[in-house]
Amino acid sequence: MKTEAPEGISFLDRKESGFVHFVKYHGLGNDFILVDNRDTTEPKVTPDQAVKMCDRNFGIGADGVIFAMPGVNGTDYTMRIFNSDGSEPEMCGNGIRCLAKFIAELENFHGKKSFTVHTGAGLIVPEIQEDGKVRVDMGEPILKASDVPTKLPPNRDQSVVKARLDVDGRAWNVTCISMGNPHCVTFGTEQSQDLQVDELKLADIGPKFEHHEMFPARTNTEFVQVFSPTHLKMRVWERGAGETLACGTGACAVVVAAVLEGRAARSCTVDLPGGPLNIEWSEKDNHIYMTGPAEVVFYGSVPL
Ligand SMILES: N[C@H](CCC[C@H](N)C(=O)O)C(=O)O
């Protein structure tokens, strides 16, 4: 599908014309406004403008704005992202799958194709598969408490696995992982380890995890139900975006936490409200591989 901008304005027009052209994508319902920023290292949209654009009533509506930017240190591209609250996270798993499909469209690539992308989480390599899904080398999980970062007391190996975190009058067991961005994963409380995630009121407890003092950079929080060692179900309250239908970095953190807690195998299907992701934590290279869809929804232009 060609990316045709309104008559008289080229798709690659610059900010001075007062318009920004975008393509709306989603990865399992985690949706993003993608902006072609290949011609400059300065985002074409400010964080405040991103907040307005993400508003689902007064704007386009999205969980974030993602910029395809020039590569650095030899990478093909750079990805930057603003959450719908205007904060800038290090990485976005569903977002990088959308970025890969966006770039393929812009560059008129077809078929199997991989890119090197510089992100706040370091080098990330998405590869578009023949079936149109995207397999992403998400790099290695970060387990050291101070790097997540969390102030929860670490084990001797500096990781935080099944630690106690008091939220909303309940003693939750949490495992904290960074995928470049911080994640707090819980399978339940000290009283009950078999969460029925559909019964949780995330709007009540999500912000209490996100802004907890044990997370100096805030945190994404994943609530997980284990169907089997290879089949997990999760809901997520995202830092800077609230409850979303899917979280790619969160699904990766969930599999790492499940393995560390002895609940799952290294290759799992993770069911999210928006659909499933296949996650593998490779024993060979310690990298995490995520495979899932990324779909275009519509094309547009927005006055700034
Ligand atoms: N809200 C997240 C960034 C987006 C992550 C999520 N949408 C994903 O697919 O990984 C954060 O502030 O860390």
Side-chain angles (χ1 to χ4, degrees), residues 49-69:
Q49 289 167 338
V51 172
K52 293 191 180 80
M53 290 165 78
C54 290
D55 188 292
R56 295 192 184 281
N57 295 98
F58 298 100
I60 301 160
D63 291 325
V65 180
I66 289 179
F67 305 92
M69 298 179 120

Side-chain angles (χ1 to χ4, degrees), residues 167-168 170 172 197-211 221 223 235-238 241-244:
V167 176
D168 217 29
R170 299 169 76 184
W172 299 79
V197 293
D198 291 342
E199 292 168 10
L200 294 171
K201 292 188 171 40
L202 292 201
D204 294 346
I205 58 173
K208 294 172 183 163
F209 279 90
E210 177 183 0
H211 298 278
T221 306
F223 303 87
R235 286 174 66 196
V236 60
W237 180 270
E238 283 197 35
E243 181 166 14
T244 61

Side-chain angles (χ1 to χ4, degrees), residues 30 32 81 83 89 91-95 181 220 238-239 246-250:
N30 187 203
F32 302 97
I81 168 175
N83 281 316
M91 177 48 194
C92 179
N94 289 316
N181 58 348
N220 300 285
E238 283 197 35
R239 176 182 65 170
C247 180
T249 51

Side-chain angles (χ1 to χ4, degrees), residues 35-296:
V35 175
D36 180 7
N37 224 101
R38 291 174 299 169
D39 55 346
T40 169
T41 56
E42 186 58 34
K44 289 182 178 176
V45 169
T46 67
D48 287 346
Q49 289 167 338
V51 172
K52 293 191 180 80
M53 290 165 78
C54 290
D55 188 292
R56 295 192 184 281
N57 295 98
F58 298 100
I60 301 160
D63 291 325
V65 180
I66 289 179
F67 305 92
M69 298 179 120
V72 294
N73 304 330
T75 66
D76 298 322
Y77 299 96
T78 292
M79 177 179 84
R80 285 182 65 180
I81 168 175
F82 293 153
N83 281 316
S84 55
D85 75 347
S87 60
E88 180 167 6
E90 301 80 355
M91 177 48 194
C92 179
N94 289 316
I96 199 138
R97 298 200 313 275
C98 294
L99 179 84
K101 297 293 278 286
F102 179 53
I103 288 166
E105 184 175 355
L106 288 173
E107 305 277 7
N108 217 7
F109 293 142
H110 298 285
K112 197 165 176 145
K113 177 76 182 165
S114 73
F115 312 99
T116 54
V117 182
H118 170 71
T119 73
L123 176 66
I124 303 289
V125 184
E127 178 183 60
I128 300 174
Q129 307 294 296
E130 291 298 349
D131 66 359
K133 284 191 178 170
V134 186
R135 183 174 190 268
V136 186
D137 175 353
M138 297 284 284
E140 299 184 62
I142 297 161
L143 308 182
K144 191 175 174 196
S146 56
D147 293 339
V148 172
T150 180
K151 293 194 279 191
L152 282 168
N155 302 324
R156 266 202 297 276
D157 67 0
Q158 293 309 303
S159 68
V160 172
V161 177
K162 275 191 98 166
R164 173 175 170 154
L165 182 73
D166 292 331
V167 176
D168 217 29
R170 299 169 76 184
W172 299 79
N173 291 139
V174 300
T175 291
C176 300
I177 311 278
S178 168
M179 289 302 297
N181 58 348
H183 293 273
C184 171
V185 181
T186 183
F187 297 85
T189 64
E190 297 198 341
Q191 290 70 32
S192 152
Q193 280 293 303
D194 56 346
L195 270 185
Q196 300 303 309
V197 293
D198 291 342
E199 292 168 10
L200 294 171
K201 292 188 171 40
L202 292 201
D204 294 346
I205 58 173
K208 294 172 183 163
F209 279 90
E210 177 183 0
H211 298 278
H212 199 288
E213 60 180 355
M214 286 294 125
F215 298 102
R218 298 189 286 165
T219 189
N220 300 285
T221 306
E222 290 80 21
F223 303 87
V224 192
Q225 206 165 325
V226 180
F227 290 146
S228 81
T230 56
H231 188 191
L232 308 174
K233 175 177 181 176
M234 67 174 264
R235 286 174 66 196
V236 60
W237 180 270
E238 283 197 35
R239 176 182 65 170
E243 181 166 14
T244 61
L245 293 181
C247 180
T249 51
C252 295
V254 159
V255 171
V256 173
V259 171
L260 293 176
E261 293 196 20
R263 298 172 185 273
R266 283 174 163 266
S267 189
C268 293
T269 298
V270 179
D271 288 351
L272 299 113
L277 283 173
N278 292 322
I279 308 291
E280 180 204 355
W281 182 13
S282 164
E283 269 195 288
K284 209 157 41 65
D285 60 10
N286 194 41
H287 284 218
I288 300 179
Y289 295 88
M290 166 188 68
T291 303
E295 309 294 339
V296 65

